[in-house]
Each structure stands twice: as C-alpha cells, then as structure tokens.
C-alpha cells in the first residue's frame, strides 16, 4: 500500500502502468477482506486521500480510474477508516463518476464539457459507473453525514431520472440498473427525507413501471389493469373468454400460463420491491387516485409472482418475501385484485375435482361466498359495499317496492353467490405451510412477512379472511385427545408458534388467528385452547371475557360459525384449557379416596407451597383485574392469605 501511495501521489501519464499494477495488486490481495485490521488506519486514510486526488485527473484513463474506485470500495468496507470518503468533495466526485450528479452541479467539475452524452457515455464508462455506485453504497451505509451530502446533491432525482430514461433499454447493463436500485434502497431505508423525495419526484410511478418490466406477464397484467374486469386472470379476455367451454376454462383457472424469470430479473426485482416497501410505509396521500392506481398495478404484479411465475428459489433473493412485504403496505381496497371471479359452473367443476382428489391439493383454489342486499324503504342496502349483480339496481328495487304499495316497507334479502379463484392466496398459504414444516423453529424472516401480510389482508378484505379461515381454521370435527398444537396441519403449526420464545412471532401468530376468529374470544379458545391463547388475552385485556371483541372492525355475520355433529358430540368432554379431551392415563384419582378433612389439609399444604414459591420469587401469583389483564399480587397480600380457591 505504501508503494501505491507514493506512485499515486505523483501520478503522471508516464507512471500510469505502474499505478495500475499497484492498484490491481492491492485489489486482488484484499478483494475478499471485509475486516481491514491488518492495514494501519492512518495509512488507509492517506491512501484514500491520494486516490481521491488522482480521481480528479481524467487524463489518467478509465482503467486506472476504475481500479482506483475499486480500491476505495474495499477501503470503504470499514466504518472506522472512511476518512475523507465521507466528505462533501468525495461524495460529489463519486456521484459525478457514477453519472448521478445533476448537470448544474456537474459543470463545476467539468466546466469544459457541457454536453450530456447520455446512454453512450454510460456504456463507455460502465466499469467506472458500477464501481462508483458500489463505493457509494458502502459509504452511505456507514455514514449519516455522507447520506446528507448525497441528498443535498440531489442524487435521488438523478437515479429516478436514469430509471425513467434508460431502465427499459437493454443496452444499459444489468449491473448499473442493479446498483442504482441498491443505492436508492439504502438511502430510502436509512433516511426518511429520501423516501419523501422519491414520492415527490414521481418515483413511485417510475419504480412501478420498472418492476412491471422485470416481472414477466406485463401484457397480461395490462389487460387486467386497464379493463378493470375481474373475470379471469387476463390470459384470455373479452369475447374469447366468454366463448370458452367449461372444460377449457377450468384448465385456464387451474393452471394459468407460467413464465420463467431469470436470475438477473430476480435480483433487480428484489431491490425494486425493497425500495418500494420503504416508500410505501407512509405514503402522504394513500387514498389519492394516482396512488391507488399505482398500488393496483403493484398488486397485479404481486399476483403474477405467485400465480404465473414458476417456483422460485429462496437464494440469492427471497422474491416471495419481498413481494409479500410490499403487499402488506398496500391499501385494503387494492387487495381485491389478488383474486378474480369465475362462472359458477366452472367453480362447481373445480370443486368436484377437489373433492375427488383432495390429497393432490393441500388447499382449495376455489372459494364461494354468499352476499345479500336488503330492500328497505325503497332503497337497496348493500352491507359489504360491493358491486351488485347485473340486473339488480337500487332504482329497479324502488320501483318494484312502490308497485306493491306504500305500506310494504321491507322485503326479504336478495342473496347470491360469488365464486372466486384464490390461486394467489393459495400459493402464499402453501409457502407459509412449507416454512412452518421446514424447521422446528422457523426463522423470523421466513414467517413474519407472510403472517403480517395475512393479518393485513384478513382485516382488509372479507373474502380473503373467509377463505383463510376456511383453510386454516375449518369447522372442527371429532376432537378426541389430540391437542390443537399436535399434528401436521397448518393450524397445529401456528398454535405451536403461539408459545414461541420469539416475541414477534408469538404475537403475530396469535393476532392472525384472532382475526380469523373475527376477534371472538370464545372462538379463539375453541381452536387453540385457553392455555395457548392466554398470552394474547392477557396483553389485550381479554382474560375472563367471553363475548366477542369487535374493536371497531366490520366483520360479517356469524352465520358461518356452524358446528359439525362430531364436534357437538365431543364438546361437553373438551377441557377448554387444553382444547381437547383429557387423556385417561388409567390411574385412579387420589381425591376419590380422601375424606373432606383430608382434602382440606391437602389444599392448605398446596396454598402454603404456592406462598413459599411466591415469596422466593420462583413464581409470581396474579389475579385478573377489572381491565381484563393479570395483576400481580404484592407479597404482603399473598403471605396473608390462608386459603386458595
């Protein structure tokens, strides 16, 4: 390194070959080193200074400049040795080399060149641009000061401008696009100002367009988005779709067109979706027409990922996780695009196939839900605010009511069934099931994104909630001695996680199941057992509460909570604490052979032992307070008690 410093300090065109050899040697020796403790910090900072000085000399050639920036990239891995790399001058120079300096600022460094070379310049300087972007990613990750300089120099606007101008151009290399997105992701992840600037610069639209380019099936999504027709997945539309026979339509519904996405597209899509997750955390006007329109497009893209892409590997990027993360930030009104409708005749055929071959499908892809409207006082009341079927309108209903006479103020409800294809939700459910079964203790990054999205979807869309409840918490049959946490069903796996040592997973699983139970305490206990649900009930002040807890959520009626005959037969024998019938171990109950006095003596011994454990701090007794939460008894009260109930 000392040799490189001396050469670069007095670098002239005649010494360029020696400088290139020295820099190449340094890079090859330290390319895989992420801890630079073997290099003296003061020497590193001196090396950075001479490299930054050399980067101001364009006449030294692109090869030397690229190697010099590669050396800076290696040196920038160590937070403690950044030195002048986090200065405004260094950031400005690196942004200029990455072609991300706004033209009015760039002219200060290249006063003699006012020409915008555009794509040609990017192509000829690709190696320099890529290395500069990598170096900037390292620096902004380590330094808040450097991030502020980047924002002050308007690099966010420059990145978005390049995305709009060149992202769909195949001449621009994948690496430039990828590290543009990585740089933008880091800025939006670490600086709220960057997120605001992206939205203010119409970056939401630009990133949506870029993601649409990366994910195959763009034309199919365009049909769905532009026509706003929810019948079918867009593979066939209009008159052609209506002309299909039932069997042909069934084939399309069960196995839509699938596409292969290449490795580069996966990596690029992941960076875009990570950035979109950051900026959609707090959109300034989420209900605006433009925002909802872009969110609709994003939901269509996410649907394509789960429906139309062939199975994706988890490495190097877990694309399903990123898609699910973005989905959890979408407005609830956009979630309807995750599913599409199909004719009842097609639904019936798919349902018959499922019943004939249930083992070939873990979860149903078809779902039927009943809707109704009530005609009251000449108006049609639609409780779910959904589109009414063709042929039923409020005007027609009012005229019909008027003909029957003014005294007829109400009529029976009009009911009909909606039939949906839930293939996207089914795929997500299978992903969750696979991850629950993959290891005894699933990793947070594998479970939490899916559960968060499911909680959001279940709260925001009643059809999705009903489908998830039917698949995750179907009506209970014969319970027997099998506890809710025992078994290989997805319900069993989720109930096991309610006792996880990882607090985030435990709370999220409990919340998901509680939402599926329409926040009804009795129903949650029925499916999980009181012992497994105690943590959620305690944290929400629901211990000892038996009535349904709505919390302002608009759930549909309870008419779908019917019990099976098998469950009704077992119900009286089920211990609600464990959610199953207690096992008979064949041993006699010792209390049966005791007199009443002996039972009282045993109770007093037990109370004494509990007080002793409480006094030692081994346990802490509590009682349910008026707020429904456990309240710890103080030691004086506990020690003064002489009996227990």
């Amino acid at each position: 390194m000392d040799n490189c410093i001396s050469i670069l300090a007095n670098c002239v065109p005649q010494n360029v070959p020696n400088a290139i050899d020295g820099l190449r040697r340094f890079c090859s020796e330290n390319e895989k080193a992420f801890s630079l403790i073997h290099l003296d910090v003061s020497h590193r900072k001196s090396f950075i200074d001479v490299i930054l000085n050399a980067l101001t000399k364009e006449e030294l050639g692109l090869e030397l400049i690229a190697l010099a920036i590669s050396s800076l990239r290696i040196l920038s891995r160590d937070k403690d040795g950044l030195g002048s790399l986090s200065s405004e001058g260094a950031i400005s120079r690196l942004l200029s080399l990455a072609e991300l300096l706004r033209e009015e600022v760039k002219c200060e460094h290249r006063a003699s060149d006012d020409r915008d070379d555009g794509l040609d310049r990017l192509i000829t300087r690709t190696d320099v641009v890529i290395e500069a972007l990598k170096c900037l990613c390292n620096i902004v990750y380590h330094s808040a000061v450097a991030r502020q300089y980047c924002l002050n120099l308007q690099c966010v606007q420059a990145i978005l401008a390049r995305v709009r101008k060149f992202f769909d151009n195949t001449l621009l290399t994948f690496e430039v696009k990828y590290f543009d997105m990585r740089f933008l992701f880091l800025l939006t992840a670490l600086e709220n100002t960057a997120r605001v600037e992206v939205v203010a610069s119409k970056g939401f639209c630009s990133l949506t367009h870029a993601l649409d380019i990366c994910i195959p099936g763009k034309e199919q999504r365009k049909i769905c988005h532009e026509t706003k027709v929810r019948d079918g997945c867009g593979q066939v539309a209009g008159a052609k779709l209506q002309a299909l026979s039932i069997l042909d339509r069934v084939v399309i519904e069960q196995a839509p067109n699938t596409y292969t996405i290449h490795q580069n597209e996966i990596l690029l899509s992941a960076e875009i979706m990570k950035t979109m997750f950051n900026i959609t955390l707090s959109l300034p006007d989420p209900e605006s027409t433009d925002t909802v329109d872009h969110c609709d497009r994003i939901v269509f893209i996410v649907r394509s990922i789960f429906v139309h892409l062939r199975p994706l590997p988890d490495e190097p990027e877990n694309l399903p996780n990123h898609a699910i993360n973005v989905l959890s930030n979408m407005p609830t009104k956009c979630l309807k695009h995750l599913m599409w409708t199909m004719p009842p005749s097609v639904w019936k055929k798919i349902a018959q196939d499922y019943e004939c071959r249930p083992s070939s499908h873990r979860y149903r892809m078809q779902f039927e839900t009943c809707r109704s409207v009530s005609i009251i006082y000449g108006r049609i009341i639609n409780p779910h605010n959904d589109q009414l079927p063709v042929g039923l309108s409020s005007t027609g209903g009012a005229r019909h009511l008027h003909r029957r006479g003014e005294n007829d103020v109400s009529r029976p409800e009009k009911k009909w069934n909606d039939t949906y294809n839930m293939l996207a939700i089914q795929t997500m459910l299978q992903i969750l099931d696979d991850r629950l079964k993959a290891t005894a203790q699933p990793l947070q990054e594998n479970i939490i994104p899916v559960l968060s999205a499911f909680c959001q979807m279940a709260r925001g869309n009643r059809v999705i909630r009903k489908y998830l409840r039917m698949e995750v918490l179907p009506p209970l049959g014969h319970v027997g001695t099998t506890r809710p946490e025992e078994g290989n069903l997805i319900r069993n796996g989720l109930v096991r996680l309610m006792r996880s040592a990882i607090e985030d997973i435990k709370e999220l699983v409990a919340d998901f199941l509680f939402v599926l139970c329409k926040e009804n305490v009795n129903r949650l206990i029925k499916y999980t057992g009181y012992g497994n649900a105690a943590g959620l009930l305690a944290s929400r002040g629901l211990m000892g509460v038996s009535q349904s807890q709505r919390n302002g959520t608009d759930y549909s009626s309870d008419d779908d909570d019917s019990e099976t005959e098998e469950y009704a037969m077992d119900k009286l024998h089920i211990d609600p604490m464990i959610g199953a019938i207690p096992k008979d171990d064949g041993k006699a109950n010792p209390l049966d052979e005791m007199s009443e006095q002996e039972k009282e003596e045993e109770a007093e011994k037990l109370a004494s032992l509990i007080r002793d454990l409480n006094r030692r701090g081994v346990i802490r007794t509590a009682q349910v307070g008026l707020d429904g939460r456990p309240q710890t008894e103080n030691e004086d009260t506990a020690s003064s008690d002489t009996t227990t109930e």
Side-chain angles (χ1 to χ4, degrees):
M1 188 167 66
D2 290 338
N3 186 37
C4 287
I5 293 175
S6 61
I7 294 175
L8 288 174
N10 302 294
C11 190
V12 292
Q14 293 80 2
N15 291 337
V16 167
N18 293 333
I20 289 175
D21 290 340
L23 290 171
R24 185 176 287 119
R25 192 180 309 111
F26 173 82
C27 292
S28 62
E29 291 174 355
N30 298 280
E31 184 62 40
K32 296 183 180 180
F34 289 88
S35 176
L36 303 176
I37 56 175
H38 61 287
L39 300 176
D40 183 71
V41 175
S42 61
H43 279 69
R44 276 188 272 159
K45 292 181 178 180
S46 299
F47 194 20
I48 289 171
D49 290 338
V50 296
I51 291 176
L52 289 174
N53 182 60
L55 290 178
T56 61
K57 304 174 182 178
E58 290 280 347
E59 68 274 9
L60 298 180
L62 294 180
E63 184 180 5
L64 185 142
I65 291 175
L67 283 170
I69 304 174
S70 296
S71 302
L72 289 180
R73 170 176 56 82
I74 293 171
L75 293 169
S76 64
R77 292 171 180 169
D78 192 338
K79 180 180 180 180
D80 298 326
L82 288 180
S84 55
L85 269 179
S86 58
S87 66
E88 183 177 11
I91 296 299
S92 177
R93 185 59 188 152
L94 287 171
L95 287 174
S96 178
L97 292 168
E99 301 297 321
L100 289 177
L101 202 60
R102 303 289 284 182
E103 196 61 33
E104 60 270 16
V105 181
K106 189 183 294 184
C107 64
E108 296 177 8
H109 299 280
R110 294 190 291 133
S112 61
D113 186 8
D114 294 328
R115 183 169 54 91
D116 181 11
D117 297 320
L119 183 60
D120 291 338
R121 181 176 175 84
L122 275 174
I123 293 173
T124 57
R125 300 172 65 89
T126 294
D127 292 341
V128 172
V129 170
I130 293 171
E131 289 300 326
L133 285 170
K134 290 179 180 179
C135 189
L136 284 165
C137 288
N138 287 346
I139 296 171
V140 299
Y141 178 74
H142 290 308
S143 172
V145 174
R147 293 195 293 271
Q148 288 302 317
Y149 287 139
C150 287
L151 296 177
N152 293 341
L153 293 170
Q154 302 180 358
C155 70
V156 169
Q157 292 87 336
I159 294 173
L160 294 174
R162 188 147 76 195
V163 170
R164 295 187 191 101
K165 196 171 183 180
F166 301 128
F167 195 87
D168 57 351
N169 195 313
T170 56
L171 296 177
L172 186 62
T173 63
F174 155 76
E175 288 80 6
V176 174
K177 299 175 185 178
Y178 176 79
F179 285 106
D180 271 349
M181 290 298 102
R182 171 62 65 89
F183 188 26
L184 187 60
F185 160 68
L186 289 171
L187 288 172
T188 54
L190 300 170
E191 293 291 335
N192 183 59
T193 306
R195 296 194 285 271
V196 174
E197 287 187 9
V198 170
V199 177
S201 303
K202 307 295 183 183
F204 194 21
C205 175
S206 302
L207 293 175
T208 304
H209 179 66
L211 184 61
D212 204 18
I213 293 172
C214 292
I215 304 297
K218 180 180 178 181
E219 293 304 319
Q220 189 170 324
R221 291 191 295 272
K222 184 178 180 181
I223 293 173
C224 296
H225 181 251
E226 291 183 351
T227 60
K228 303 297 182 183
V229 175
R230 296 184 61 197
D231 186 23
C233 62
Q235 182 174 326
V236 181
K240 292 183 179 180
L241 182 66
Q242 303 302 322
L244 290 175
S245 66
I246 293 178
L247 291 179
D248 290 339
R249 181 68 183 269
V250 167
V251 171
I252 292 178
E253 296 292 341
Q254 290 182 324
N257 281 345
T258 56
Y259 308 97
T260 299
I261 184 170
H262 301 293
Q263 186 79 350
N264 287 350
E265 293 171 330
I266 292 176
L267 293 171
L268 197 51
S269 300
E271 292 303 318
I272 296 173
M273 284 193 284
K274 283 154 58 176
T275 305
M276 295 187 81
F277 174 78
N278 293 338
I279 65 175
T280 54
L281 282 171
S282 55
L283 289 170
D285 190 7
E287 300 299 324
S288 68
T289 303
D290 285 345
T291 300
V292 171
D293 187 64
H294 294 319
C295 290
D296 282 345
R297 289 181 64 192
I298 292 171
V299 174
F300 278 121
I301 293 171
V302 171
R303 189 177 87 180
S304 289
I305 291 174
F306 291 111
V307 173
H308 298 291
L309 293 189
R310 294 187 176 94
L312 298 168
D314 288 343
E315 299 294 339
E317 285 288 352
N318 196 327
L319 196 60
N321 261 19
H322 298 311
I324 290 169
N325 279 333
V326 172
L327 190 63
S328 63
N329 287 346
M330 294 296 101
T332 55
K333 65 173 64 176
C334 302
L335 297 176
K336 62 185 178 183
H337 298 303
L338 285 172
M339 53 198 176
W340 62 88
T341 60
M342 54 183 172
S345 57
V346 176
W347 178 91
K348 186 178 296 185
K349 175 61 178 173
I350 294 174
Q352 290 173 353
D353 291 345
Y354 178 83
E355 295 299 330
C356 294
R357 297 178 297 169
S359 59
S360 61
H361 306 282
R362 274 184 287 176
Y363 305 104
R364 297 173 180 84
M365 58 161 284
Q366 76 283 356
F367 185 66
E368 181 182 39
T369 183
C370 179
R371 289 195 294 163
S372 63
V373 292
S374 299
I375 306 178
I376 303 175
Y377 299 111
R379 293 179 294 114
I380 287 186
I381 308 301
N382 185 1
H384 304 302
N385 198 28
D386 291 332
Q387 184 179 358
L388 297 176
V390 176
L392 182 61
S393 65
S394 57
T395 306
R399 284 201 303 267
H400 183 69
L401 178 62
H402 181 71
R403 286 197 298 269
R404 289 181 58 86
E406 294 181 359
N407 294 329
D408 296 336
V409 295
S410 65
R411 297 191 61 208
E413 289 186 338
K414 173 69 177 179
K415 295 186 177 181
W416 70 95
N417 292 337
D418 287 330
T419 49
Y420 295 95
N421 188 318
M422 310 294 290
L423 193 53
I425 312 297
Q426 179 205 46
T427 305
M428 295 170 64
L429 202 56
Q430 289 175 346
I431 290 173
L432 176 61
D433 195 7
D434 290 339
R435 292 178 180 180
L436 288 173
K437 295 174 180 176
T439 58
Q441 190 66 47
L443 298 176
Q444 286 177 280
E445 58 267 23
N446 285 338
I447 299 297
I448 288 180
V450 190
L451 288 176
S452 297
F454 276 159
C455 287
Q456 169 81 354
M457 290 187 287
R459 281 194 169 94
N461 188 288
R462 72 181 188 91
V463 176
I464 295 177
R465 179 187 59 77
K466 287 187 173 186
Y467 171 78
L468 288 173
R469 189 197 160 195
M470 183 60 65
E471 299 303 318
V472 177
L473 301 177
L476 293 175
H478 175 63
V479 175
T481 59
T482 303
R483 298 190 178 194
E485 64 270 20
E486 297 174 348
N488 294 320
L489 298 177
I490 190 170
R491 173 174 74 100
N492 308 133
L494 290 172
V495 173
R496 283 194 291 270
L497 287 180
M498 294 178 77
R499 301 180 296 178
S500 171
I502 303 174
E503 197 69 22
D504 290 342
I505 290 181
K506 179 172 65 176
E507 292 179 358
L508 203 52
V509 169
D511 183 54
F512 174 52
L513 295 178
F514 197 41
V515 171
L516 293 190
C517 293
K518 295 194 278 194
E519 302 189 21
N520 183 296
V521 174
N522 288 341
R523 194 174 302 162
L524 179 68
I525 294 172
K526 167 184 170 181
Y527 279 100
T528 68
Y530 189 89
N532 292 317
L536 173 79
L537 302 181
S539 64
R540 299 198 180 188
L542 300 176
M543 300 193 78
V545 178
S546 60
Q547 73 273 18
S548 173
Q549 299 294 322
R550 300 292 183 181
N551 293 334
T553 306
D554 184 20
Y555 292 117
S556 54
S557 62
D558 291 338
D559 55 2
D560 60 344
D561 191 37
S562 58
E563 294 180 351
T564 63
E565 293 182 4
E566 294 87 349
Y567 180 80
M569 293 174 61
D570 291 342
K571 188 174 181 179
L572 295 177
H573 307 288
I574 294 174
D575 181 354
M577 188 61 66
I578 62 175
I581 299 174
K583 292 182 179 180
D584 184 6
D585 56 7
K587 297 180 180 179
N589 187 349
L591 294 178
D592 294 340
E593 300 177 358
M594 290 185 182
S595 64
E596 292 299 322
Q597 182 178 355
E598 289 174 329
K599 291 179 182 178
E600 290 181 5
E601 291 175 355
E602 288 296 324
E604 290 177 359
K605 290 179 183 179
L606 179 60
S608 177
L609 290 172
I610 291 175
R611 287 195 297 270
D612 185 51
L613 291 173
N614 194 49
R615 188 164 46 249
R616 294 182 183 182
V618 177
I619 64 172
R620 189 176 294 274
T621 56
Q623 62 182 0
V624 179
L626 296 177
D627 60 353
R629 291 180 170 84
Q631 296 179 349
T632 305
E633 298 178 354
N634 58 51
E635 189 173 330
D636 294 337
T637 303
S639 60
S640 64
D641 291 339
T642 57
T643 61
T644 61
E645 295 183 357

